[in-house]
Amino acid sequence: GESVGLHLPTLSVQEGDNSIINCAYSNSASDYFIWYKQESGKGPQFIIDIRSNMDKRQGQRVTVLLNKTVKHLSLQIAATQPGDSAVYFCADPQGGKLIFGQGTELSVKP
Amino acid sequence: IAGITQAPTSQILAAGRRMTLRCTQDMRHNAMYWYRQDLGLGLRLIHYSNTAGTTGKGEVPDGYSVSRANTDDFPLTLASAVPSQTSVYFCASSDSATSGSDEQFFGPGTRLTVL
């Protein structure tokens, strides 16, 4: 079946550095992706989304890049802060049902 | 505005017992979902409901049932719990017709342990 996956299960960065979390997808027909952040003991929280007619979308300190040719998207977090420590998921809504990747755990070192 | 509430927060349950996890949203969203989250497996969809009165099966529906009698409530029932149903359960809702996106809003989760 179709899947969404992340390249690395964990990522450790120094506070103030930029973080890049990658995600690959297999469904060529996918046209919309969402990034979620999940802090320990909480439910996932929407960060940013992107549609396939865009290559890049920026939010507050976050940027998502979409490369449809290689079916890859990335989440970039600028000036990573301790509060960014969480598990990050990319998700592909297929017919309204979210297909989640396994998640990347981001740890921020002070 | 509470958003999505789930109850109980956590539960320890003997195998074979029946259990209903409750989920209520006050956003008048038309669609609701139940996921389970297990270490190393991410979130997997159990059941969903696109609108009140309708339900559908997700990726891992076996051993679970749902109902959607009204817009706000979407209970998940384990008829006879088994240890493999030990997990964290998340309820979510969305209203793409209003928001124009498929963003789902998640509840705080229910941690269920089946012994």
Side-chain angles (χ1 to χ4, degrees):
Chain A
E2 301 292 357
S3 66
V4 179
L6 286 136
H7 290 295
L8 294 172
T10 61
L11 176 65
S12 182
V13 300
Q14 201 71 37
E15 181 178 356
D17 288 351
N18 296 335
S19 302
I20 299 176
I21 300 171
N22 296 305
C23 184
Y25 62 94
S26 60
N27 185 359
S28 300
S30 295
D31 61 358
Y32 178 61
F33 299 92
I34 306 174
W35 281 97
Y36 282 88
K37 172 186 180 182
Q38 186 177 22
E39 296 177 77
S40 180
K42 298 182 179 180
Q45 182 178 16
F46 174 92
I47 304 173
I48 192 169
D49 59 1
I50 188 167
R51 296 197 177 274
S52 61
N53 61 350
M54 304 171 70
D55 296 325
K56 178 180 180 179
R57 189 170 188 202
Q58 287 185 293
Q60 185 177 12
R61 285 200 305 117
V62 295
T63 300
V64 56
L65 300 177
L66 176 61
N67 186 328
K68 296 177 287 294
T69 301
V70 296
K71 291 184 283 188
H72 177 273
L73 65 160
S74 66
L75 177 71
Q76 301 179 3
I77 304 173
T80 311
Q81 302 170 0
D84 295 326
S85 294
V87 177
Y88 290 82
F89 295 94
C90 60
D92 173 8
Q94 296 182 9
K97 293 171 283 187
L98 282 174
I99 306 298
F100 282 86
Q102 292 184 8
T104 291
E105 182 174 9
L106 175 65
S107 297
V108 182
K109 296 177 290 186
Chain B
I1 296 177
I4 297 182
T5 58
Q6 292 184 236
T9 302
S10 64
Q11 181 75 45
I12 299 174
L13 188 67
R17 297 297 295 269
R18 180 184 179 89
M19 175 74 189
T20 295
L21 308 185
R22 299 185 297 279
C23 175
T24 300
Q25 53 107 354
D26 62 2
M27 297 175 283
R28 306 302 293 174
H29 285 172
N30 55 356
M32 296 186 74
Y33 312 85
W34 273 106
Y35 295 88
R36 60 177 290 172
Q37 185 173 33
D38 304 291
L39 192 63
L41 294 177
L43 289 98
R44 293 181 292 169
L45 182 66
I46 304 171
H47 284 288
Y48 66 95
S49 169
N50 287 330
T51 189
T54 69
T55 62
K57 294 182 179 180
E59 181 183 358
V60 288
D62 294 343
Y64 306 94
S65 64
V66 291
S67 61
R68 188 85 184 279
N70 57 62
T71 298
D72 298 343
D73 301 300
F74 191 43
L76 176 74
T77 297
L78 290 68
S80 179
V82 296
S84 63
Q85 291 177 310
T86 294
S87 187
V88 180
Y89 292 85
F90 288 100
C91 180
S93 71
S94 71
D95 192 354
S96 58
T98 300
S99 68
S101 76
D102 290 314
E103 178 185 352
Q104 294 187 10
F105 297 82
F106 286 81
T110 293
R111 183 175 296 274
L112 181 67
T113 302
V114 183
L115 302 177

